């Protein structure tokens, strides 16, 4: 794609010197054929006038919630309902903080909160503001809500300091936006597919206050759920206890134990085209049900007996109407050997394996795919990027379905 003909973009400006670059961005977007509706915060209007952006976009510029030009007075809803994308450039530290916390105290923040379309933001701020712990915390929240950050770049800043925080140049942002649309058009490869995903750890109680769990954060499973949704699938996730919010568009059943996960997954699994078992399911649970806290018995530790949990993935793979199954394996050593054995013993077409010690709790991962033809290492990257590659790999293989 080298142009944006027919794309409908809402461009938001929050306050910052970089607003001058947004004028060129509007020109570029319009030049590539996009329809651009500009929305500005009050502070943005101190840096560049709405008149300039109206002239460049060819459309009225919106700055407040109560704009009488919108028939139903619902500018905060209407402006994005027939748009493909919102991009906020520049996104100030203050705007990002409001976005992270769901504040909706002006038109732009309300539009972002009420959106049902993707949001890209191009941060622009002084380097100290960018590095501030509060800003970094907000970035994590924003990204986990599915917002894509473009930049910032590093270099000389308007304040005279040098560092990370400059807004990306308009030409670079145009390339980012074109690539974003390209990626989305090739990414709808699971359109019409129903995908069931397990994610996170399970927690197996020992007694009412103690239990056994593992170090899975759920980040990979949630990233795969988001990637599957963005690829056009209808996605149902069944998640063990995590600190994560399920991605927009993904329905989630929360469970605690392996048995609960089994009970949630197995009865519905045949209704799905694809089952992706990302969860780190506990292999064992305590045999005896302690209803009361086990007391310290004069320093004598208790002896616990374990029983095996049911294998959810193997059970689903053996169903008469089994979905196309993908397993995960986190190993600490002999990755290929264990992964191949696991794929064969569970009788599944694809297994995704990684070295557990390298990736648990991290935002980055490196995985190797194992299928009947061999093994392929995917490039290391952010869990969100790797999740997209895994979804592409699944789509590739589903075109030539496994012989199971
Ligand atoms: O057998 P192992 O636990 O190593 O296999 C890992 C894969 O099997 C993962 O995909 C995991 O989600 C799945 N699994 C499961 N139910 C279990 C154990 C593992 O679905 N009880």
């Amino acid at each position: 794609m080298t142009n944006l003909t027919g794309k409908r973009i809402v461009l938001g400006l929050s306050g910052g010197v970089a607003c001058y670059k947004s004028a060129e961005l509007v020109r570029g977007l319009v030049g590539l054929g996009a329809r651009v509706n500009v929305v500005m915060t009050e502070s943005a209007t101190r840096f560049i006038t709405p008149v300039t952006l109206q002239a460049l976009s060819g459309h009225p510029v919106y700055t407040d919630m109560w704009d009488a030009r919108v028939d139903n007075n619902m500018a905060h809803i209407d402006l994005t309902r027939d748009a493909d994308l919102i991009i906020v450039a520049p996104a100030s530290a203050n705007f990002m903080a409001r976005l992270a916390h769901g504040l909706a105290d002006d038109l732009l923040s309300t539009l972002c909160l009420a959106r049902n379309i993707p949001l890209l933001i191009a941060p622009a701020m002084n380097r100290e503001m960018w590095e501030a712990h509060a800003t970094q915390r907000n970035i994590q929240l924003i990204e986990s809500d599915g917002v894509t950050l473009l930049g910032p770049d590093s270099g000389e800043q308007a304040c005279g300091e040098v560092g990370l925080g400059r807004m990306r140049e308009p030409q670079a942002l145009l390339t980012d936006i074109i690539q974003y649309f390209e990626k989305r058009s090739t990414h709808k490869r699971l359109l019409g597919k129903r995908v069931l995903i397990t994610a996170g750890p399970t927690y197996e109680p020992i007694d009412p206050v103690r239990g056994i769990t593992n170090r899975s954060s759920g980040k990979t499973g949630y990233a795969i759920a988001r990637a599957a949704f963005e690829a056009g699938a209808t996605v149902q996730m069944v998640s063990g206890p995590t600190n994560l919010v399920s991605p927009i568009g993904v329905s989630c059943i929360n469970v605690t134990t392996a048995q609960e996960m089994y009970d949630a997954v197995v009865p519905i699994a045949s209704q799905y085209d694809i089952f992706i078992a990302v969860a780190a399911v506990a292999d064992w649970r305590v045999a005896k049900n302690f209803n009361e806290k086990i007391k310290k018995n004069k320093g004598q530790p208790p002896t616990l007996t374990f029983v095996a949990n049911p294998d959810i993935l193997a059970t689903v793979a053996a169903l008469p109407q089994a979905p196309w199954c993908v397993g995960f394996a986190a190993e600490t050593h002999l990755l290929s050997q264990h992964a191949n054995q696991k794929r064969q013993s569970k009788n599944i077409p694809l297994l995704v394996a990684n070295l557990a010690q390298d990736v648990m709790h991290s935002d980055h991962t490196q995985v190797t795919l194992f299928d009947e033809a061999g093994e392929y290492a995917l490039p290391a990257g952010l869990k969100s990027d790797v999740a997209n590659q895994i979804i592409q790999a699944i789509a590739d293989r589903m075109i030539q379905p496994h012989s199971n």
Side-chain angles (χ1 to χ4, degrees), residues 198 277-279 281-283 310-313 327-328 342 346:
T198 62
V278 196
V281 185
D283 292 314
D311 190 318
I312 304 166
L313 176 56
F328 270 68
K342 208 163 277 188
K346 296 195 193 242

Side-chain angles (χ1 to χ4, degrees), residues 65-190:
M65 298 274 286
W66 318 113
D67 199 313
R69 287 170 298 182
V70 180
D71 289 343
N72 60 4
N73 258 330
M74 296 262 183
H76 64 290
I77 308 260
D78 276 16
L79 278 170
T80 56
R81 284 303 179 261
D82 73 339
D84 298 296
L85 179 73
I86 310 180
I87 166 160
V88 178
S92 66
N94 177 52
F95 176 77
M96 285 168 61
R98 289 190 291 139
L99 186 63
H101 297 283
L103 297 190
D105 51 3
D106 65 5
L107 178 59
L108 184 57
S109 54
T110 312
L111 268 177
C112 290
L113 192 63
R115 78 181 187 282
N116 57 0
I117 52 174
L119 171 60
L120 312 186
I121 64 170
M125 67 197 72
N126 161 272
R127 69 187 172 92
E128 300 285 4
M129 289 172 90
W130 173 257
E131 279 162 18
H133 288 180
T135 305
Q136 293 300 316
R137 275 198 304 277
N138 291 335
I139 290 166
Q140 281 189 2
L141 287 173
I142 290 169
E143 287 192 316
S144 70
D145 286 344
V147 175
T148 303
L149 263 70
L150 306 177
D153 283 348
S154 189
E156 197 171 328
Q157 305 200 304
C159 54
E161 295 180 8
V162 177
L164 202 58
R166 275 167 63 111
M167 185 167 103
R168 276 169 74 65
E169 295 302 319
Q171 210 49 48
L173 287 175
L174 284 175
T175 307
D176 293 339
I177 294 166
I178 290 169
Q179 281 175 353
Y180 180 82
F181 279 116
E182 276 174 358
K183 228 161 112 183
R184 280 183 76 81
S185 65
T186 55
H187 272 194
K188 292 282 176 201
R189 297 184 62 201
L190 294 186

